[in-house]
Amino acid sequence: MNVENTSFLEYDKKNIRGLQQMALEFLFNNVNMSKIVFCGGIADYINLREYYDITINDIDLIYENELDLQPMITKLATKKYVSKFYKTKNGEALVNIFRVGETSINIDSFLRDFSRSTYTQSPLLGKMVWHTSFEESKKNHNHEIHLNTSEAKGIDYQWKRLYKHSRKASLYNNVTFLEEKNLIHTIKKNIL
């Protein structure tokens, strides 16, 4: 492990809540991490942790072959749902429930073709993981805003979804803007 990974490790241990850390350790110990890609909140956390405090709630994954998730599926309660919010190859989301006592966290997995997006590797809790790139995540959040307005959604409008994507898009857009203006140094760096 290099020095950069060590500083991220300390930052991650301090800033990722306990249940989420346990769920991630479960994944690290049970799933071949070279076969999955983190997206959603985990990718946002990794992409933006240097500049912003991002909270991880659930865990979102992209996979190409359900067999790669089998070690997790056999150990956790698993359900398939129609994916209401995100496009997947089969229209479904696979939801695994990681439970510790009375608390639980969802591990949502989406079947996708890896060749349709850009991914990068970064350390997370001392392990190298694949995740959607900064540009891919920025593009996704910006694209989702107009799809989640009250006008676009009608009776299915959920202000929390619009707020989530608007907030995350603004964070990505601010980092991009400050880098373009050579002002990125004006954001306090979070990394140790």
Side-chain angles (χ1 to χ4, degrees):
M1 186 182 309
N2 65 31
V3 175
E4 186 177 317
N5 284 0
T6 303
S7 65
F8 280 111
L9 176 62
E10 295 305 315
Y11 181 83
D12 292 347
K13 283 183 176 180
K14 182 178 153 196
N15 290 285
I16 298 174
R17 292 179 287 185
L19 181 62
Q20 283 74 3
Q21 283 190 44
M22 288 189 282
L24 288 166
E25 287 296 331
F26 172 84
L27 282 172
F28 296 155
N29 293 328
N30 289 282
V31 177
N32 180 342
M33 298 307 292
S34 70
K35 304 276 186 167
I36 64 169
V37 175
F38 286 106
C39 59
I42 297 278
D44 295 329
Y45 170 82
I46 294 170
N47 288 327
L48 296 169
R49 69 183 160 189
E50 190 171 348
Y51 304 108
Y52 300 107
D53 295 326
I54 304 288
T55 302
I56 296 172
N57 294 309
D58 61 355
I59 296 173
D60 298 316
L61 306 173
I62 300 169
Y63 67 97
E64 282 191 308
N65 186 338
E66 192 172 313
L67 288 175
D68 296 330
L69 301 178
Q70 208 56 40
M72 173 176 65
I73 292 169
T74 59
K75 294 179 181 171
L76 300 179
T78 305
K79 294 183 181 180
K80 285 188 180 181
Y81 295 96
V82 172
S83 182
K84 291 172 29 179
F85 304 113
Y86 304 109
K87 290 180 184 174
T88 68
K89 208 170 178 181
N90 62 359
E92 296 177 335
L94 184 68
V95 178
N96 294 94
I97 301 164
F98 179 81
R99 188 174 300 284
V100 176
E102 295 298 312
T103 59
S104 64
I105 179 175
N106 285 354
I107 302 173
D108 300 337
S109 303
F110 306 97
L111 180 63
R112 294 241 183 98
D113 179 353
F114 284 175
S115 67
R116 295 184 174 248
S117 297
T118 56
Y119 309 109
T120 189
Q121 274 192 305
S122 298
L124 179 66
L125 288 169
K127 308 279 192 236
M128 290 303 286
V129 299
W130 286 100
H131 60 92
T132 51
S133 68
F134 181 97
E135 286 301 321
E136 189 75 27
S137 295
K138 179 176 93 169
K139 180 174 75 175
N140 176 59
H141 287 300
N142 279 293
H143 176 75
E144 288 292 320
I145 294 170
H146 77 279
L147 300 175
N148 285 287
T149 63
S150 58
E151 186 177 330
K153 285 293 186 186
I155 61 170
D156 293 328
Y157 172 69
Q158 295 178 9
W159 71 266
K160 288 181 182 180
R161 293 203 68 74
L162 178 62
Y163 174 75
K164 175 185 89 167
H165 288 296
S166 298
R167 182 178 152 271
K168 297 264 179 93
S170 69
L171 297 176
Y172 281 99
N173 294 337
N174 190 51
V175 168
T176 301
F177 171 79
L178 292 173
E179 283 179 341
E180 287 172 358
K181 298 295 181 186
N182 290 323
L183 294 171
I184 196 68
H185 64 278
T186 62
I187 296 181
K188 176 183 85 65
K189 295 235 181 195
N190 279 332
I191 303 305
L192 304 171

